[in-house]
Amino acid sequence: MFRFSNLTQVPDKDEQNVILSTPVPKNSSIFDIKLFIDKKLTKTEKTEALNTIWTPGKNYDFPITLYGSKNLKFQMSWFDKWSWIAYSGLDDGIYCKYCVLFCVKQGGKGGQSLGQLCTQPLKNWKHAIQKLKSHEASNYHINCVLNFQHLSAVISGEESSVYDQINKVAKKTKRR
């Protein structure tokens, strides 16, 4: 298990491999979104992760993929349009930050396994805009965002945790 709060600067490559126990290629970051998939993180680590997930710089050279006769690649402008996406240099694909960090193992109707944007990268740039719009409107995504918002409010002290709320009600009921 690694802790973000202990990292005051980006570790060198040897330290990165110790922290994650996962080899990180030379041109990638220990904060690549792919490395957070299926990681057991505390609630605080999840919220900290949102602030540390790697984002490519403006001069990042995104790989080009050939679709039929078209050369397509990730568009930097998509970050402005969908603030919840994170690009993975390891996968040349994108994920939903909230669904990766605040997911449950299944979602959708009938408890389907999670796929693109949650546990698998979206890499098909030809249909990316439709997929992003569809994901953003899904109940699963909306619930993950709400889970994050509630957790942030609890951590900041703006709200009580569900556990604390239940205890308050139980105490009031006992007094009566």
Side-chain angles (χ1 to χ4, degrees):
M1 183 67 60
F2 59 97
R3 295 209 175 266
F4 299 99
S5 54
N6 296 337
L7 298 176
T8 55
Q9 59 185 6
V10 176
D12 65 27
K13 293 295 174 190
D14 293 334
E15 290 171 319
Q16 289 176 10
N17 291 338
V18 170
I19 291 168
L20 289 174
S21 68
T22 305
V24 178
K26 185 177 180 180
N27 61 346
S28 297
S29 166
I30 64 164
F31 302 113
D32 190 291
I33 185 73
K34 177 182 181 163
L35 300 175
F36 292 98
I37 295 171
D38 293 329
K39 290 288 182 196
K40 302 285 188 227
L41 302 175
T42 67
K43 292 175 181 179
T44 303
E45 287 172 334
K46 287 179 181 185
T47 58
E48 288 177 4
L50 282 173
N51 296 321
T52 58
I53 289 174
W54 174 74
T55 302
K58 293 184 187 231
N59 295 325
Y60 187 83
D61 190 20
F62 294 101
I64 295 173
T65 306
L66 181 64
Y67 290 96
S69 62
K70 293 184 179 183
N71 288 323
L72 302 175
K73 63 181 180 176
F74 176 83
Q75 300 299 307
M76 189 65 95
S77 63
W78 293 346
F79 284 126
D80 296 328
K81 195 166 190 167
W82 295 285
S83 62
W84 47 265
I85 62 173
Y87 180 82
S88 170
L90 296 171
D91 283 336
D92 180 31
I94 51 178
Y95 292 89
C96 171
K97 297 177 198 180
Y98 298 106
C99 292
V100 167
L101 294 170
F102 298 93
C103 71
V104 291
K105 293 296 177 199
Q106 298 174 331
K109 295 180 182 175
Q112 303 158 335
S113 335
L114 302 177
Q116 281 187 340
L117 294 165
C118 298
T119 59
Q120 300 296 315
L122 171 61
K123 300 171 78 163
N124 184 341
W125 308 128
K126 185 175 181 180
H127 300 291
I129 291 173
Q130 294 117 327
K131 291 278 188 182
L132 291 168
K133 286 179 180 179
S134 173
H135 180 80
E136 186 171 49
S138 73
N139 285 337
Y140 185 80
H141 171 77
I142 292 167
N143 287 334
C144 287
V145 172
L146 290 173
N147 287 343
F148 159 71
Q149 290 172 343
H150 174 69
L151 178 60
S152 294
V154 169
I155 288 172
S156 69
E158 294 172 22
E159 286 183 21
S160 299
S161 70
V162 172
Y163 177 77
D164 289 340
Q165 292 174 28
I166 291 170
N167 280 341
K168 278 183 186 178
V169 170
K171 284 179 184 178
K172 284 182 183 178
T173 306
K174 247 183 183 179
R175 288 182 202 156
R176 293 181 185 174

